[in-house]
Amino acid sequence: MVFSYTDFSYSDLKLSSTRFKDSVSVSVKVTNIGKVAGKEVVQLYLTAPGKTMDKPREELKGFAKTALLKPGANQVLTFVLGEQELASFSTEKSAWLADAGDYIVKVGASSTDIRLTKGFNVKGERKLENVNKVMVPQIMIHELKSKSMNSRGK
């Protein structure tokens, strides 16, 4: 639990699109519903489909602090998710990739205090960058993968 001298509400979570093209803008309105002025740190998490790559249940992709808000005042914060925020490295393909499928944007005061969620879709796997195999190991390396990662915490 996060303690503050005042309380904040989150509302009007909006995505610029439900279909990802080059980026998705995320905006959220934060209102001071307490009795004293205060600032709030808003965190944005992303849950990826995890179809072809092991991905964590959620990843912190951005955070921002509001201005000093008087009681009753509000501020709209905006985040931009680009291809880099969606991508993970695939050792099999030697490339940075973003999985196709449904992504979930989560906004809140912390990872344990998510206030709002919305989703968008990426049609087709997106390859951001190929990587050359310059220093190939002389022995086989076995990657450690948690069996629970495949269930993605569901």
Side-chain angles (χ1 to χ4, degrees):
M1 175 129 197
V2 177
F3 294 98
S4 175
Y5 292 107
T6 193
D7 295 309
F8 295 90
S9 70
Y10 292 53
S11 62
D12 299 333
L13 178 63
K14 295 178 183 169
L15 304 180
S16 60
S17 177
T18 58
R19 294 259 183 224
F20 187 87
K21 293 192 176 39
D22 296 321
S23 66
V24 169
S25 293
V26 179
S27 65
V28 62
K29 182 163 75 170
V30 180
T31 304
N32 183 343
I33 58 172
K35 296 182 179 182
V36 297
K39 296 179 182 181
E40 176 76 333
V41 175
V42 177
Q43 298 179 14
L44 182 143
Y45 293 87
L46 187 65
T47 297
K51 290 181 178 180
T52 62
M53 293 180 281
D54 287 334
K55 298 283 282 185
R57 187 170 52 110
E58 60 192 22
E59 294 178 275
L60 178 65
K61 295 299 180 176
F63 59 92
K65 185 184 284 189
T66 66
L68 182 65
L69 298 176
K70 294 180 180 178
N74 66 65
Q75 181 178 352
V76 174
L77 297 175
T78 302
F79 303 88
V80 178
L81 294 171
E83 288 181 324
Q84 298 83 3
E85 284 76 31
L86 277 57
S88 292
F89 187 74
S90 168
T91 53
E92 289 110 23
K93 296 181 181 179
S94 289
W96 287 92
L97 305 171
D99 264 342
D102 295 325
Y103 288 74
I104 301 169
V105 173
K106 301 175 180 183
V107 177
S110 74
S111 63
T112 59
D113 187 9
I114 299 297
R115 310 282 181 94
L116 300 169
T117 62
K118 273 212 181 204
F120 65 89
N121 182 272
V122 173
K123 186 175 180 178
E125 180 181 86
R126 299 173 76 96
K127 184 182 290 190
L128 275 69
E129 178 183 0
N130 283 326
V131 178
N132 295 324
K133 293 184 179 182
V134 177
M135 298 180 68
V136 178
Q138 299 300 310
I139 60 171
M140 176 63 105
I141 296 176
H142 298 284
E143 290 186 46
L144 297 175
K145 294 184 180 181
S146 170
K147 290 182 182 179
S148 64
M149 284 291 289
N150 293 333
S151 66
R152 310 214 53 244
K154 294 179 183 173

